[in-house]
Amino acid sequence: KGFLLSNLSGQSRAGIVHRLDKGTSGAIVVAKNNAAHAALSSQLSDKSMGRIYLALTDLPLKQNCTVWRAIGRNPANRLKKAIVSDGRAAKSAFANLLFSEFSGPVQGKNAGVNLIAAKLFTGRTHQIRAHLSLIGHPLVGDELYGGDMNLAKRQMLHAYKLEFQNPKTLENLKVEIEIPPDMKELLK
């Protein structure tokens, strides 16, 4: 009570500098006042705020890669984003971290989950989800983008690390949020 947050994003999103997709776990940045909010938003815009996500897919990438494809509204499904020529520029980098194979086949094939690190250079809605789907590696549990729903009840995406400058002290901060239990369980 009595704790106020920035109102630059409106009353319903007080203090929220950036958001996560519904079902995505992890770290977000919240500003206590309008000056901090403006400074943090500026770091997002000029791409000096670092954001690393962890994601689970059902197969490893053939190689680490960068995807630089524009994203816009999907003309066939208003809830979904798509790779479109007239969309907004979007760039993501993906790297394999770990493959955990299940003991025994699932639906007639050997199965497992792959832990991927994703670095955002831009911040479009559903960017990681759309880019991974484009390259044939949708997130486990991401029904909207074609992920395997048998393994998880949500898309397995986690905002793991944020790096930014404190607007007041100018100190460089790194915030890491431990991988959540549902993702850990799939990796065991």
Side-chain angles (χ1 to χ4, degrees):
K1 189 172 183 174
F3 184 69
L4 298 177
L5 296 172
S6 160
N7 62 8
L8 290 182
S9 294
Q11 209 54 25
S12 64
R13 290 181 53 196
I16 304 298
V17 175
H18 69 103
R19 65 176 198 80
L20 299 176
D21 293 343
K22 181 179 179 183
T24 298
S25 59
I28 61 170
V29 176
V30 179
K32 290 173 70 174
N33 58 56
N34 289 349
H37 195 138
L40 291 165
S41 293
S42 176
Q43 291 177 53
L44 266 178
S45 295
D46 70 16
K47 298 168 186 45
S48 61
M49 182 181 289
R51 294 171 291 163
I52 304 290
Y53 288 73
L54 297 176
L56 295 182
T57 61
D58 61 356
L59 293 170
L61 302 169
K62 290 180 181 166
Q63 62 186 20
N64 297 343
C65 63
T66 300
V67 178
W68 195 326
R69 298 290 298 273
I71 294 175
R73 187 173 296 262
N74 184 317
N77 182 343
R78 68 177 191 83
L79 299 176
K80 193 174 176 181
K81 298 298 179 182
I83 307 305
V84 293
S85 59
D86 62 342
R88 296 178 68 195
K91 181 180 178 184
S92 311
F94 302 107
N96 286 313
L97 297 178
L98 172 74
F99 184 69
S100 178
E101 194 168 355
F102 298 135
S103 56
V106 175
Q107 295 180 351
K109 63 178 182 175
N110 285 335
V113 291
N114 188 54
L115 180 64
I116 292 175
K119 178 174 175 48
L120 288 179
F121 295 92
T122 54
R124 307 294 174 235
T125 301
H126 296 190
Q127 179 175 325
I128 292 171
R129 298 165 68 191
H131 278 171
L132 283 173
S133 181
L134 171 73
I135 63 172
H137 292 278
L139 296 170
V140 169
D142 192 355
E143 183 175 32
L144 189 60
Y145 289 91
D148 188 340
M149 293 300 296
N150 294 314
L151 299 176
K153 293 182 168 91
R154 69 170 182 98
Q155 75 264 5
M156 293 285 105
L157 183 60
H158 178 70
Y160 171 67
K161 182 191 267 187
L162 294 172
E163 295 178 337
F164 57 95
Q165 188 177 64
N166 181 310
K168 187 173 183 178
T169 67
L170 304 182
E171 174 187 8
N172 289 324
L173 301 174
K174 291 182 183 179
V175 176
E176 292 181 7
I177 304 295
E178 185 176 342
I179 194 167
D182 58 351
M183 288 179 77
K184 278 184 185 178
E185 188 61 34
L186 282 174
L187 286 169
K188 285 186 179 176

